[in-house]
Amino acid sequence: MAPAQNPITSKHVAVIGAGAAGVITSRELRREGHSVIVYEREKQVGGLWVYTPKSDSDPLSLDPTRSKVHSSIYESLRTNVPRESMGVRDFPFLPRFDDQSRDPRRYPNHREVLAYIQDFAREFKIEEMIRFETEVVRVEPVDGKWRVQSKKSGGFLEDEIYDAVVVCNGHYTEPNITHIPGIKSWPGKQIHSHNYRVPDPFENEVVVVIGNFASGADISRDIAKVAKEVHIASRAREPHTYEKISVPQNNLWMHSEIDTANEDGSIVFKNGKVVFADSIVYCTGYKYNFPFLETNGYLRIDEKRVEPLYKHVFPPALAPGLSFVGVPAMGIVFVMFEIQSKWVAAVLSGRVTLPSPDKMMEDINAWYASLDALGIPKRHTHTIGRIQREYLNWVAEECGCELVERWRGQEVDGGYMRLVAHPETYRDEWDDDELIEEAYNDFSRKKLISFDPSYYLENGR
Ligand code: FAD
């Protein structure tokens, strides 16, 4: 940890967004003694986890004038991380066997995650810091401070000055659409997973789902329940790939990526197979987007790289006044919010110092060079699941907080392997009971649970 150079100071800090990142960040900032205002465009906390049957008015979300929704959650979604690993470290995501409205499963549904975030906000009195239905429309540096312009739902604009701004606006709302040669003349329907909610509109259709990671694997199986045929296109697969996947409806196939889409409705895969499809569902990820940020071109987004960001958090020339919580894509998400925001809070109070802007830039360039050397494309700059524990522990040491538990890293890594190998069953069949036990024993040792670990272990089976 870098030693404090200055006396500890309290700052006036704006947090943008009251999703999981924003509520966790505001707790850490207040714990460190800062005064905090959280801006949230919606009426409640939860961000992505506030499910709505509504979706963008443009199913591909390309039209800039479309009406937008924030959430990308589909009705059948269950978590892709086990609950022991998902929760914040001093507020575990415990099953509530006593409450019928809750989902006690190890990989619960999306409503349970929202309930957990609401519980967290209630427990730590986060809502008193939040201005709901208030959208941040502009953030800019002014004489060493930060001007935040916000708009109330009635259209009323307000300008306020802060010492610092922490951006927690999420990055699963602005779809990334893969280009398919010939798609302009292809006559079928197209939708991005951001706008997918339920399978019903695909009844009896032939559907091509592009992408086979967490959402693609879920959505293809969801649609297979009602569709005639579902064909997954995966660029991670060898060009010759053509496999039948076992599902009860016997109607799901895996292909390599798409070669072309044609005017006659056909889709040609790189494996040479041709299907005449009614719909394409793009499960092709999301883009970073900070439409309110005005940094005179200093901060750029290029091929999903937000640059320059020191350790994915601080833009060197604008730090510590501007910081980002939640940019990396990894499995241990809520704990990442917790550790990154503890670092931001400690740097803002002066308890921890950052290297000079030049040194931070050196570190960023070394990171880019290491990605180049490994042949990792620019778009994966912030995809750091493979080094998540190492990264989080580096940040944790920097701000002097507890390191990430061994069981947490192992659970998430093991869950990821199960997801890849058995996407249809990984949430209900596992082989890491000893890690669950270790997790609950750990919660018990830290006095975070009121029952004996056996209560959770026995009821959860
Ligand atoms: P969000 O939840 O998106 O919150 C951002 C908030 O900022 C929103 O409330 C939004 O209204 C607000 N906002 C945005 N712009 C403005 C503005 N200009 N002014 C005011 N407010 C603004 N993670 C897991 O740990 N486990 C999982 O199982 C899991 N499953 C996932 C499934 C899907 C389909 C997706 C897309 C992601 C999943 N994730 C999962 C990752 C997910 O990103 C995190 O769980 C987390 O909830 C994201 O929190 P966030 O606060 O960064 O963003």
Side-chain angles (χ1 to χ4, degrees), residues 2 40 128 144 156 165 178:
E40 172 50 57
E128 62 193 33
F156 176 66
V165 174
T178 318

Side-chain angles (χ1 to χ4, degrees), residues 288-337:
Y288 293 97
N289 190 22
F290 310 107
F292 44 80
L293 258 188
E294 185 44 73
T295 63
N296 250 330
Y298 177 74
L299 205 77
R300 299 172 302 277
I301 301 171
D302 185 16
E303 287 180 49
K304 293 189 85 174
R305 172 180 284 176
V306 186
E307 62 181 337
L309 276 189
Y310 176 60
K311 304 292 182 198
H312 312 276
V313 174
F314 290 107
L318 302 172
L322 184 66
S323 59
F324 295 76
V325 167
V327 167
M330 61 166 73
I332 312 177
V333 180
F334 288 19
V335 171
M336 167 181 71
F337 298 155

Side-chain angles (χ1 to χ4, degrees), residues 150-362:
S150 61
K151 195 169 80 181
K152 282 262 174 221
S153 52
F156 176 66
L157 281 174
E158 197 173 19
D159 263 7
E160 269 154 292
I161 300 294
Y162 291 89
D163 298 313
V165 174
V166 190
V167 178
C168 301
N169 68 331
H171 51 89
Y172 293 104
T173 291
E174 201 64 34
N176 178 53
I177 306 284
T178 318
H179 176 69
I180 304 170
I183 195 69
K184 276 216 165 95
S185 57
W186 186 75
K189 293 184 289 178
Q190 299 176 64
I191 179 173
H192 187 275
S193 58
H194 169 61
N195 297 310
Y196 175 81
R197 297 293 179 268
V198 289
D200 311 35
F202 302 95
E203 197 171 343
N204 295 324
E205 286 194 355
V206 175
V207 182
V208 170
V209 173
I210 306 179
N212 186 40
F213 194 54
S215 296
D218 276 355
I219 291 174
S220 55
R221 284 163 181 80
D222 211 20
I223 294 177
K225 289 177 197 149
V226 301
K228 197 155 114 199
E229 293 173 13
V230 179
H231 297 267
I232 304 174
S234 167
R235 76 171 160 195
R237 296 298 183 112
E238 295 293 323
H240 62 266
T241 303
Y242 179 60
E243 290 163 17
K244 186 145 199 181
I245 298 178
S246 163
V247 288
Q249 301 77 17
N250 205 25
N251 61 352
L252 183 61
W253 287 266
M254 175 72 70
H255 301 256
S256 51
E257 65 186 313
I258 294 173
D259 191 35
T260 52
N262 302 301
E263 211 174 335
D264 62 0
S266 63
I267 304 271
V268 182
F269 293 90
K270 290 227 159 117
N271 59 13
K273 299 286 171 198
V274 180
V275 301
F276 286 82
D278 300 291
S279 293
I280 296 178
V281 183
Y282 293 82
C283 298
T284 46
Y286 294 87
K287 295 178 185 163
Y288 293 97
N289 190 22
F290 310 107
F292 44 80
L293 258 188
E294 185 44 73
T295 63
N296 250 330
Y298 177 74
L299 205 77
R300 299 172 302 277
I301 301 171
D302 185 16
E303 287 180 49
K304 293 189 85 174
R305 172 180 284 176
V306 186
E307 62 181 337
L309 276 189
Y310 176 60
K311 304 292 182 198
H312 312 276
V313 174
F314 290 107
L318 302 172
L322 184 66
S323 59
F324 295 76
V325 167
V327 167
M330 61 166 73
I332 312 177
V333 180
F334 288 19
V335 171
M336 167 181 71
F337 298 155
E338 185 196 335
I339 295 179
Q340 287 184 328
S341 60
K342 280 184 195 294
W343 188 30
V344 170
V347 168
L348 287 175
S349 70
R351 193 163 56 77
V352 171
T353 50
L354 289 173
S356 68
D358 285 351
K359 284 263 175 265
M360 289 194 263
M361 280 309 303
E362 262 174 42

Side-chain angles (χ1 to χ4, degrees), residues 17 19-21 40-41 47-49 70 79-80 86 136 169-170 172 334:
E40 172 50 57
R41 197 163 49 191
L48 184 89
W49 297 98
H70 183 80
T79 67
N80 50 39
M86 198 166 153
V136 170
N169 68 331
Y172 293 104
F334 288 19

